[in-house]
Amino acid sequence: MNELRSFYRDYHPDARALLDACDSVLKSALYEREPLPQWSVGRVTLLGDACHPMLPFMAQGAGMSIEDGVVVARCLAQAHQLDDVAPALQRYAAARQARTAEIQIGSRGNQWMKTQGNADGVYGYDAWAVPVSA
Ligand SMILES: Cc1cc2nc3c(=O)[nH]c(=O)nc-3n(C[C@H](O)[C@H](O)[C@H](O)COP(=O)(O)OP(=O)(O)OC[C@H]3O[C@@H](n4cnc5c(N)ncnc54)[C@H](O)[C@@H]3O)c2cc1C
C-alpha cells in the first residue's frame, strides 16, 4: 500500500484520499499471450480471457468476451441436433479468431490511439451481423 501511495504522492488530494481509504491492494504482473490456434474440441469450446487473454492497453478484454458470447450464441442457435454442435463451435471460432488475435496483438503494442487510430475497426464491429453461416 505504501509503495502505491508513494507513486501518487504528488496527485490531487482526492486521488490520494481514495488510496488512503484502501486497506490493501494487489500487485500483479502483466502476461503476454500469443493467439491460440484452436479454441474448440468437439462439443467443448472456450471464450473470453480463456482463449484470448490480452494486455489492457486497448481496454477490450471484456468487449471481446461479450462479442464471443453473441457469436457463439448465434452459432449454437443454428445447431438443431447434437451432431450440429461441434461444427457450430468451429464456425464460432472461425468467425472470431482473426478479430480477437488482431486486438490481442494490437493491445500488446500499446500504441492504439497514440500512433494508430483504428477506433472504427474496434468499435464498428457488429457481432450480431458478422457472417456465421455454415
Ligand atoms: C483491472 C482491470 C481492468 C480492466 N478494464 C477493462 C476495460 O476497461 N474494458 C474491457 O473490455 N476489459 C477490461 N478488462 C478485462 C476484462 O475484465 C476481462 O477481459 C473480462 O472480465 C474477461 O471475461 P471472461 O468472462 O472471459 O473472464 P472472467 O471475467 O475472468 O470470468 C471468469 C469467471 O470464471 C470463474 N471461474 C474460474 N474458475 C472457475 C471454476 N473452476 N469453476 C467455476 N467458476 C470459475 C471466475 O471466478 C470468474 O468469475 C480489465 C481487466 C482488469 C483486471
Side-chain angles (χ1 to χ4, degrees):
M1 200 61 237
N2 287 337
E3 184 184 356
L4 181 68
R5 287 187 183 125
S6 76
F7 282 123
Y8 287 89
R9 62 181 171 269
D10 297 327
Y11 273 59
H12 190 280
D14 287 354
R16 286 187 276 123
L18 193 66
L19 294 178
D20 286 343
C22 296
D23 297 327
S24 62
V25 292
L26 297 175
K27 185 177 183 179
S28 175
L30 295 173
Y31 295 100
E32 271 187 23
R33 291 285 182 262
E34 294 298 326
L36 269 186
Q38 184 178 1
W39 293 4
S40 302
V41 175
R43 284 183 277 131
V44 176
T45 197
L46 300 172
L47 73 164
D49 280 4
C51 52
H52 45 68
M54 55 187 71
L55 292 176
F57 305 121
M58 287 172 74
Q60 287 301 311
M64 292 303 108
S65 307
I66 293 164
E67 289 178 4
D68 287 349
V70 170
V71 174
V72 78
R74 290 178 57 215
C75 291
L76 288 173
Q78 298 171 346
H80 301 296
Q81 50 199 20
L82 205 53
D83 286 349
D84 297 338
V85 173
L89 295 180
Q90 294 297 334
R91 290 199 299 282
Y92 147 69
R96 293 292 300 152
Q97 279 175 309
R99 161 84 171 162
T100 56
E102 184 183 351
I103 303 286
Q104 206 176 0
I105 291 167
S107 206
R108 174 196 304 174
N110 195 14
Q111 293 302 312
W112 189 59
M113 302 308 282
K114 294 180 183 171
T115 60
Q116 303 164 357
N118 64 341
D120 287 350
V122 174
Y123 296 115
Y125 180 92
D126 186 352
W128 292 102
V130 69
V132 294
S133 298

